[in-house]
């Protein structure tokens, strides 16, 4: 059966799925336009057209799933035209940093921050002392109702049903793949970026949080319960990590 759960795994499939959301018009447009994008991407990446309906259904689930916010709920389909950036590249200067410096930062916060296991993350860090520049790409950043959100698309295959993408499974995947370290670095970069470009910027007011969206497990009926890992790191942690870096 051709479903998003049986769609091929691996890096090739991940690049294909990322490309769809990189090119997708979240502000709407005819369904035929979205279907054409899927058809073209399948062809460009060498996948059979038999996957057309299941990929289109997955895209519908992702853009229609609603997220809670301070004032109201919203979905990605509610983003206004021109209010998102894909593949946002960043550079920031890195002072002399060692793994022990970062480990100490994360250990200090491990008892005050429960979204991810910072103690395990600290113990896993082993790298040569570094100095220079940090460069990366954020899959997408968007603005909705004055708040800015950081999105990362994840094509990980965790199982053959929505229930395999519950919160405990997502948290385990985040920690195993060190995605938590990834989004903390992204948040440092985005916080600096927004502070230079948004008038009267305040992290607590303008930063909406991090959304790691596990594409195969999202369901508009189940909402954020499945396929959605969400976090809003404390501003004090981001400031301390910024100072470390």
């Amino acid at each position: 059966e051709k479903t998003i759960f049986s769609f091929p795994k691996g890096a090739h499939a991940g690049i294909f799925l990322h490309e769809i959301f990189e090119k997708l018009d979240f502000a709407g447009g005819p369904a035929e336009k979205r279907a054409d994008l899927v058809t073209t991407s399948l062809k460009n990446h060498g996948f059979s057209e038999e996957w057309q309906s299941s990929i289109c259904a997955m895209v519908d689930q992702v853009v229609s799933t609603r997220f809670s916010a301070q004032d109201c709920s919203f979905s990605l389909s509610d983003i206004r035209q021109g209010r998102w950036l894909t593949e946002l590249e960043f550079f920031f200067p890195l002072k002399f940093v060692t793994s022990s410096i970062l480990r100490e930062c994360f250990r200090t916060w491990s008892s005050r921050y429960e979204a991810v296991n910072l103690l395990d993350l600290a113990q896993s860090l082993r790298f040569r002392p570094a100095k220079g520049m940090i460069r990366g790409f954020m899959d997408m950043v968007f603005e909705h109702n004055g708040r800015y959100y950081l999105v990362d698309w994840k094509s990980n295959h965790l199982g053959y049903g929505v229930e395999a993408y519950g919160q405990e499974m997502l948290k385990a995947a985040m920690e195993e793949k060190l995605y938590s370290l990834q989004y903390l670095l992204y948040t440092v970069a985005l916080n600096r970026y927004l502070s230079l470009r948004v008038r009267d910027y305040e992290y607590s007011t303008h930063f909406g949080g991090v959304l790691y969206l596990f594409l195969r497990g999202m369901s508009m009926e189940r909402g954020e319960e499945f396929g959605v890992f969400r976090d809003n790191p404390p501003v004090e942690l981001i400031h301390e990590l910024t100072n470390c870096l």
Side-chain angles (χ1 to χ4, degrees):
E1 185 180 3
K2 296 288 191 294
T3 71
I4 191 59
F5 302 112
S6 59
F7 187 70
K9 312 170 189 177
H12 184 198
I15 292 170
F16 159 73
L17 293 172
H18 273 72
E19 183 179 290
I20 288 178
F21 288 96
E22 182 181 345
K23 296 180 178 179
L24 188 67
D25 182 359
F26 292 93
E32 293 79 8
K33 184 178 178 182
R34 185 178 297 174
D36 288 344
L37 171 61
V38 171
T39 299
T40 301
S41 297
L42 284 168
K43 182 178 179 180
N44 290 344
H45 290 271
F47 291 110
S48 169
E49 288 189 15
E50 293 179 316
W51 294 106
Q52 167 82 18
S53 61
S54 59
I55 297 300
C56 284
M58 177 273 296
V59 174
D60 288 342
Q61 296 290 340
V62 172
V63 301
S64 300
T65 296
R66 301 200 70 78
F67 307 103
S68 60
Q70 286 185 332
D71 44 1
C72 62
S73 65
F74 68 93
S75 68
L76 297 181
S77 61
D78 295 326
I79 305 174
R80 292 184 292 117
Q81 193 70 50
R83 304 306 293 170
W84 71 87
L85 293 171
T86 60
E87 294 300 308
L88 178 60
E89 184 178 13
F90 65 87
F91 294 85
F92 64 79
L94 181 69
K95 66 184 182 183
F96 185 77
V97 173
T98 65
S99 53
S100 60
I101 291 174
L102 275 186
R103 279 201 302 271
E104 187 58 34
C105 173
F106 290 143
R107 282 199 190 100
T108 301
W109 274 90
S110 60
S111 61
R112 295 184 280 164
Y113 178 57
E114 298 180 353
V116 294
N117 190 330
L118 286 182
L119 194 58
D120 282 355
L121 175 59
Q123 293 170 348
S124 70
L125 290 177
R126 296 288 187 277
F127 59 85
R128 294 177 182 176
K131 182 179 180 180
M133 299 289 289
I134 286 186
R135 178 194 185 203
F137 295 85
M138 305 176 205
D139 284 350
M140 186 169 84
V141 173
F142 71 89
E143 179 271 335
H144 182 73
N145 283 354
R147 297 175 74 84
Y148 296 81
Y149 298 82
L150 195 163
V151 176
D152 204 278
W153 315 111
K154 292 302 177 192
S155 60
N156 308 50
H157 189 279
L158 304 182
Y160 290 91
V162 170
E163 287 71 21
Y165 296 80
Q167 292 302 307
E168 288 303 314
M169 284 71 81
L170 297 189
K171 186 174 181 179
M174 295 291 296
E175 293 176 356
E176 178 188 356
K177 302 292 186 181
L178 295 185
Y179 293 153
S180 50
L181 176 60
Q182 181 186 47
Y183 79 71
L184 287 173
L185 293 175
Y186 285 174
T187 303
V188 166
L190 184 57
N191 183 52
R192 288 172 60 88
Y193 180 88
L194 295 174
S195 68
L196 296 172
R197 290 164 174 80
V198 177
R199 185 186 297 274
D200 299 323
Y201 173 77
E202 291 288 342
Y203 180 93
S204 58
T205 301
H206 293 98
F207 186 66
V210 173
L211 295 168
Y212 268 53
L213 304 182
F214 288 73
L215 303 173
R216 298 177 193 257
M218 292 184 66
S219 165
M220 68 179 84
E221 289 81 15
R222 310 293 282 273
E224 294 185 50
E225 185 181 1
F226 294 95
V228 178
F229 180 91
R230 188 170 182 177
D231 188 23
N232 198 330
V235 63
E236 296 86 0
L237 170 58
I238 298 305
H239 287 166
E240 189 169 332
L241 185 56
T242 301
N243 291 333
C244 283
L245 299 174

